[in-house]
Short mmCIF file of all heavy atoms in Angstrom, two decimals:
data_model
loop_
_atom_site.label_atom_id
_atom_site.label_comp_id
_atom_site.label_asym_id
_atom_site.label_seq_id
_atom_site.Cartn_x
_atom_site.Cartn_y
_atom_site.Cartn_z
N LEU A 1 115.39 63.55 240.09
CA LEU A 1 114.36 63.04 239.18
C LEU A 1 114.53 63.53 237.74
O LEU A 1 114.73 64.72 237.49
CB LEU A 1 112.97 63.46 239.66
CG LEU A 1 112.33 62.64 240.77
CD1 LEU A 1 110.89 63.07 240.96
CD2 LEU A 1 112.39 61.15 240.47
N ALA A 2 114.43 62.59 236.81
CA ALA A 2 114.39 62.94 235.40
C ALA A 2 112.98 63.41 235.04
O ALA A 2 111.99 62.90 235.56
CB ALA A 2 114.76 61.72 234.56
N THR A 3 112.90 64.40 234.20
CA THR A 3 111.59 64.93 233.77
C THR A 3 111.61 65.08 232.25
O THR A 3 112.65 64.97 231.61
CB THR A 3 111.29 66.29 234.41
OG1 THR A 3 112.30 67.22 234.02
CG2 THR A 3 111.24 66.19 235.92
N LYS A 4 110.43 65.35 231.69
CA LYS A 4 110.34 65.58 230.24
C LYS A 4 109.30 66.65 229.98
O LYS A 4 108.38 66.87 230.78
CB LYS A 4 109.97 64.28 229.52
CG LYS A 4 108.51 63.86 229.72
CD LYS A 4 108.17 62.60 228.95
CE LYS A 4 106.69 62.23 229.16
NZ LYS A 4 106.34 60.94 228.56
N LYS A 5 109.45 67.30 228.83
CA LYS A 5 108.45 68.26 228.37
C LYS A 5 108.02 67.82 226.97
O LYS A 5 108.86 67.68 226.08
CB LYS A 5 109.02 69.67 228.34
CG LYS A 5 109.38 70.20 229.73
CD LYS A 5 109.98 71.60 229.65
CE LYS A 5 110.41 72.07 231.03
NZ LYS A 5 111.06 73.42 230.97
N ARG A 6 106.74 67.57 226.82
CA ARG A 6 106.24 67.07 225.54
C ARG A 6 106.29 68.16 224.46
O ARG A 6 106.39 69.35 224.76
CB ARG A 6 104.82 66.54 225.73
CG ARG A 6 104.78 65.23 226.51
CD ARG A 6 103.38 64.87 226.98
NE ARG A 6 102.94 65.75 228.06
CZ ARG A 6 101.77 65.62 228.70
NH1 ARG A 6 100.94 64.64 228.34
NH2 ARG A 6 101.45 66.46 229.66
N ALA A 7 106.23 67.73 223.21
CA ALA A 7 106.44 68.63 222.08
C ALA A 7 105.28 69.59 221.85
O ALA A 7 105.47 70.76 221.52
CB ALA A 7 106.70 67.82 220.81
N ASN A 8 104.05 69.09 222.03
CA ASN A 8 102.87 69.94 221.83
C ASN A 8 102.94 71.15 222.76
O ASN A 8 103.20 71.02 223.95
CB ASN A 8 101.61 69.11 222.11
CG ASN A 8 100.34 69.92 222.01
OD1 ASN A 8 99.98 70.62 222.94
ND2 ASN A 8 99.67 69.81 220.87
N TRP A 9 102.69 72.36 222.23
CA TRP A 9 102.91 73.58 223.01
C TRP A 9 102.04 73.63 224.27
O TRP A 9 102.50 74.10 225.32
CB TRP A 9 102.64 74.82 222.14
CG TRP A 9 101.19 75.08 221.84
CD1 TRP A 9 100.47 74.64 220.78
CD2 TRP A 9 100.29 75.86 222.65
NE1 TRP A 9 99.17 75.07 220.85
CE2 TRP A 9 99.02 75.83 221.99
CE3 TRP A 9 100.40 76.56 223.83
CZ2 TRP A 9 97.91 76.49 222.48
CZ3 TRP A 9 99.29 77.22 224.34
CH2 TRP A 9 98.05 77.18 223.66
N LYS A 10 100.81 73.15 224.16
CA LYS A 10 99.92 73.17 225.33
C LYS A 10 100.41 72.18 226.39
O LYS A 10 100.44 72.50 227.59
CB LYS A 10 98.49 72.82 224.89
CG LYS A 10 97.46 73.01 226.00
CD LYS A 10 96.04 72.80 225.45
CE LYS A 10 95.01 73.05 226.54
NZ LYS A 10 93.63 72.84 226.02
N GLN A 11 100.79 70.98 225.96
CA GLN A 11 101.31 69.99 226.89
C GLN A 11 102.65 70.44 227.48
O GLN A 11 102.92 70.22 228.66
CB GLN A 11 101.47 68.64 226.18
CG GLN A 11 100.16 67.99 225.80
CD GLN A 11 100.36 66.71 225.01
OE1 GLN A 11 101.33 66.56 224.26
NE2 GLN A 11 99.44 65.76 225.17
N LYS A 12 103.48 71.09 226.65
CA LYS A 12 104.77 71.59 227.12
C LYS A 12 104.58 72.64 228.22
O LYS A 12 105.30 72.66 229.22
CB LYS A 12 105.56 72.17 225.96
CG LYS A 12 106.97 72.60 226.34
CD LYS A 12 107.74 73.06 225.11
CE LYS A 12 109.16 73.45 225.49
NZ LYS A 12 109.94 73.88 224.29
N LYS A 13 103.60 73.51 228.02
CA LYS A 13 103.29 74.53 229.03
C LYS A 13 102.83 73.88 230.34
O LYS A 13 103.25 74.30 231.43
CB LYS A 13 102.21 75.47 228.48
CG LYS A 13 101.87 76.62 229.41
CD LYS A 13 100.82 77.52 228.79
CE LYS A 13 100.47 78.67 229.73
NZ LYS A 13 99.42 79.56 229.14
N GLN A 14 101.98 72.86 230.21
CA GLN A 14 101.50 72.15 231.40
C GLN A 14 102.65 71.43 232.10
O GLN A 14 102.77 71.48 233.33
CB GLN A 14 100.42 71.14 231.00
CG GLN A 14 99.82 70.39 232.19
CD GLN A 14 98.82 69.34 231.74
OE1 GLN A 14 99.04 68.62 230.77
NE2 GLN A 14 97.70 69.25 232.45
N ASP A 15 103.51 70.76 231.32
CA ASP A 15 104.65 70.05 231.91
C ASP A 15 105.58 71.02 232.63
O ASP A 15 106.07 70.72 233.72
CB ASP A 15 105.44 69.32 230.82
CG ASP A 15 104.66 68.15 230.23
OD1 ASP A 15 103.74 67.65 230.91
OD2 ASP A 15 104.97 67.74 229.10
N THR A 16 105.83 72.17 232.02
CA THR A 16 106.70 73.18 232.64
C THR A 16 106.13 73.63 233.99
O THR A 16 106.85 73.74 234.99
CB THR A 16 106.87 74.39 231.71
OG1 THR A 16 107.45 73.97 230.48
CG2 THR A 16 107.75 75.45 232.36
N SER A 17 104.83 73.88 234.01
CA SER A 17 104.17 74.31 235.25
C SER A 17 104.27 73.23 236.33
O SER A 17 104.56 73.52 237.50
CB SER A 17 102.71 74.63 234.96
OG SER A 17 102.00 74.94 236.14
N ASN A 18 104.05 71.97 235.95
CA ASN A 18 104.09 70.87 236.93
C ASN A 18 105.51 70.63 237.45
O ASN A 18 105.70 70.34 238.63
CB ASN A 18 103.55 69.58 236.29
CG ASN A 18 102.08 69.70 235.92
OD1 ASN A 18 101.34 70.47 236.54
ND2 ASN A 18 101.66 68.96 234.92
N ILE A 19 106.49 70.75 236.58
CA ILE A 19 107.88 70.58 237.00
C ILE A 19 108.30 71.72 237.93
O ILE A 19 108.96 71.50 238.95
CB ILE A 19 108.82 70.51 235.77
CG1 ILE A 19 108.56 69.22 234.99
CG2 ILE A 19 110.29 70.57 236.20
CD1 ILE A 19 109.21 69.17 233.62
N ASN A 20 107.89 72.94 237.59
CA ASN A 20 108.21 74.09 238.44
C ASN A 20 107.59 73.95 239.83
O ASN A 20 108.20 74.30 240.84
CB ASN A 20 107.74 75.39 237.79
CG ASN A 20 108.57 75.78 236.58
OD1 ASN A 20 109.69 75.28 236.41
ND2 ASN A 20 108.06 76.66 235.74
N PHE A 21 106.37 73.43 239.87
CA PHE A 21 105.70 73.19 241.16
C PHE A 21 106.50 72.19 241.99
O PHE A 21 106.74 72.40 243.18
CB PHE A 21 104.28 72.68 240.93
CG PHE A 21 103.58 72.24 242.19
CD1 PHE A 21 103.02 73.17 243.06
CD2 PHE A 21 103.49 70.89 242.52
CE1 PHE A 21 102.37 72.76 244.23
CE2 PHE A 21 102.85 70.47 243.68
CZ PHE A 21 102.30 71.41 244.54
N TYR A 22 106.92 71.11 241.35
CA TYR A 22 107.71 70.08 242.03
C TYR A 22 109.01 70.67 242.59
O TYR A 22 109.36 70.44 243.75
CB TYR A 22 107.99 68.93 241.06
CG TYR A 22 109.34 68.28 241.19
CD1 TYR A 22 109.66 67.45 242.27
CD2 TYR A 22 110.32 68.50 240.21
CE1 TYR A 22 110.92 66.87 242.37
CE2 TYR A 22 111.56 67.91 240.30
CZ TYR A 22 111.86 67.10 241.39
OH TYR A 22 113.10 66.52 241.49
N VAL A 23 109.72 71.44 241.78
CA VAL A 23 111.01 72.01 242.21
C VAL A 23 110.80 72.98 243.37
O VAL A 23 111.54 72.96 244.36
CB VAL A 23 111.71 72.72 241.03
CG1 VAL A 23 112.94 73.48 241.51
CG2 VAL A 23 112.11 71.70 239.96
N LYS A 24 109.79 73.83 243.26
CA LYS A 24 109.51 74.81 244.31
C LYS A 24 109.18 74.13 245.63
O LYS A 24 109.72 74.48 246.69
CB LYS A 24 108.36 75.72 243.87
CG LYS A 24 107.95 76.78 244.89
CD LYS A 24 106.88 77.68 244.29
CE LYS A 24 106.40 78.73 245.29
NZ LYS A 24 105.63 78.11 246.39
N GLU A 25 108.26 73.15 245.59
CA GLU A 25 107.87 72.43 246.81
C GLU A 25 109.06 71.69 247.42
O GLU A 25 109.29 71.74 248.63
CB GLU A 25 106.76 71.44 246.49
CG GLU A 25 105.42 72.07 246.20
CD GLU A 25 104.80 72.70 247.43
OE1 GLU A 25 104.67 72.01 248.46
OE2 GLU A 25 104.47 73.90 247.37
N LYS A 26 109.83 71.03 246.57
CA LYS A 26 110.97 70.25 247.04
C LYS A 26 112.02 71.15 247.69
O LYS A 26 112.54 70.85 248.78
CB LYS A 26 111.56 69.48 245.87
CG LYS A 26 112.79 68.63 246.18
CD LYS A 26 114.07 69.28 245.71
CE LYS A 26 114.08 69.51 244.21
NZ LYS A 26 115.37 70.08 243.74
N ASP A 27 112.33 72.27 247.07
CA ASP A 27 113.34 73.17 247.61
C ASP A 27 112.89 73.81 248.93
O ASP A 27 113.68 73.96 249.86
CB ASP A 27 113.68 74.26 246.59
CG ASP A 27 114.48 73.73 245.41
OD1 ASP A 27 115.00 72.59 245.52
OD2 ASP A 27 114.59 74.44 244.39
N GLU A 28 111.61 74.18 248.99
CA GLU A 28 111.09 74.77 250.23
C GLU A 28 111.16 73.78 251.38
O GLU A 28 111.56 74.13 252.50
CB GLU A 28 109.64 75.23 250.03
CG GLU A 28 109.51 76.51 249.22
CD GLU A 28 108.06 76.93 249.06
OE1 GLU A 28 107.16 76.19 249.55
OE2 GLU A 28 107.83 77.99 248.45
N LYS A 29 110.76 72.53 251.13
CA LYS A 29 110.76 71.52 252.18
C LYS A 29 112.20 71.14 252.59
O LYS A 29 112.47 70.86 253.75
CB LYS A 29 110.00 70.27 251.71
CG LYS A 29 108.52 70.52 251.44
CD LYS A 29 107.81 71.08 252.65
CE LYS A 29 106.30 71.17 252.46
NZ LYS A 29 105.90 72.19 251.48
N LYS A 30 113.12 71.16 251.64
CA LYS A 30 114.52 70.88 251.96
C LYS A 30 115.08 71.96 252.89
O LYS A 30 115.74 71.66 253.90
CB LYS A 30 115.36 70.84 250.69
CG LYS A 30 115.41 69.48 250.01
CD LYS A 30 116.35 69.51 248.84
CE LYS A 30 117.79 69.75 249.27
NZ LYS A 30 118.73 69.77 248.12
N THR A 31 114.83 73.22 252.56
CA THR A 31 115.30 74.33 253.39
C THR A 31 114.74 74.23 254.80
O THR A 31 115.46 74.40 255.80
CB THR A 31 114.90 75.68 252.75
OG1 THR A 31 115.46 75.76 251.44
CG2 THR A 31 115.40 76.84 253.59
N LYS A 32 113.46 73.94 254.89
CA LYS A 32 112.80 73.82 256.19
C LYS A 32 113.36 72.64 256.98
O LYS A 32 113.61 72.74 258.19
CB LYS A 32 111.29 73.65 255.97
CG LYS A 32 110.47 73.61 257.24
CD LYS A 32 108.99 73.49 256.89
CE LYS A 32 108.13 73.35 258.14
NZ LYS A 32 106.69 73.19 257.78
N ALA A 33 113.59 71.52 256.30
CA ALA A 33 114.11 70.32 256.95
C ALA A 33 115.53 70.54 257.47
O ALA A 33 115.87 70.10 258.57
CB ALA A 33 114.08 69.14 256.00
N LEU A 34 116.34 71.22 256.70
CA LEU A 34 117.73 71.47 257.12
C LEU A 34 117.78 72.36 258.36
O LEU A 34 118.67 72.21 259.20
CB LEU A 34 118.52 72.09 255.97
CG LEU A 34 118.80 71.14 254.79
CD1 LEU A 34 119.41 71.89 253.63
CD2 LEU A 34 119.71 69.99 255.23
N ARG A 35 116.83 73.27 258.47
CA ARG A 35 116.76 74.09 259.69
C ARG A 35 116.42 73.22 260.90
O ARG A 35 116.97 73.39 261.99
CB ARG A 35 115.71 75.20 259.53
CG ARG A 35 116.15 76.36 258.67
CD ARG A 35 115.31 77.60 258.96
NE ARG A 35 113.90 77.39 258.68
CZ ARG A 35 113.32 77.68 257.52
NH1 ARG A 35 114.04 78.19 256.52
NH2 ARG A 35 112.03 77.48 257.35
N LYS A 36 115.49 72.27 260.69
CA LYS A 36 115.12 71.35 261.78
C LYS A 36 116.32 70.50 262.18
O LYS A 36 116.59 70.30 263.37
CB LYS A 36 113.97 70.44 261.34
CG LYS A 36 112.62 71.12 261.26
CD LYS A 36 111.54 70.11 260.89
CE LYS A 36 110.17 70.76 260.81
NZ LYS A 36 109.11 69.78 260.44
N VAL A 37 117.06 70.00 261.19
CA VAL A 37 118.21 69.14 261.45
C VAL A 37 119.27 69.90 262.23
O VAL A 37 119.93 69.36 263.12
CB VAL A 37 118.79 68.59 260.13
CG1 VAL A 37 120.10 67.88 260.37
CG2 VAL A 37 117.79 67.64 259.48
N SER A 38 119.45 71.18 261.91
CA SER A 38 120.47 71.97 262.59
C SER A 38 120.16 72.15 264.07
O SER A 38 121.05 72.37 264.89
CB SER A 38 120.60 73.34 261.92
OG SER A 38 119.43 74.12 262.13
N ARG A 39 118.86 72.05 264.41
CA ARG A 39 118.46 72.16 265.82
C ARG A 39 118.46 70.81 266.52
O ARG A 39 118.23 70.72 267.72
CB ARG A 39 117.07 72.81 265.93
CG ARG A 39 117.01 74.24 265.41
CD ARG A 39 115.73 74.93 265.82
NE ARG A 39 114.55 74.30 265.24
CZ ARG A 39 113.98 74.69 264.10
NH1 ARG A 39 114.51 75.70 263.40
NH2 ARG A 39 112.89 74.10 263.64
N GLY A 40 118.66 69.74 265.72
CA GLY A 40 118.70 68.39 266.28
C GLY A 40 117.42 67.62 266.04
O GLY A 40 116.32 68.16 266.23
N ILE A 41 117.55 66.38 265.59
CA ILE A 41 116.40 65.50 265.36
C ILE A 41 116.68 64.16 266.01
O ILE A 41 117.82 63.83 266.31
CB ILE A 41 116.12 65.31 263.85
CG1 ILE A 41 117.35 64.70 263.15
CG2 ILE A 41 115.71 66.61 263.20
CD1 ILE A 41 117.10 64.33 261.69
#
């Protein structure tokens, strides 16, 4: 996914937080899914 951070410092801070949340959730679910796949699906 392409993302952007707006120029305004407050919006940039919010965008950074939202992007970090997305990356963290996505990486955690990928790791969990790969463990499931290794056991067979």
Side-chain angles (χ1 to χ4, degrees):
L1 279 189
T3 60
K4 73 178 181 186
K5 295 179 184 178
R6 288 166 288 183
N8 176 279
W9 73 268
K10 188 173 183 180
Q11 291 176 329
K12 185 175 182 179
K13 183 178 179 181
Q14 183 184 42
D15 291 338
T16 300
S17 175
N18 295 333
I19 292 168
N20 288 342
F21 173 79
Y22 144 72
V23 172
K24 179 176 178 291
E25 288 291 306
K26 178 257 300 183
D27 288 346
E28 285 180 358
K29 296 303 188 290
K30 273 185 65 180
T31 301
K32 184 178 176 182
L34 290 172
R35 283 201 300 267
K36 287 183 180 179
V37 171
S38 68
R39 296 193 296 266
I41 59 173

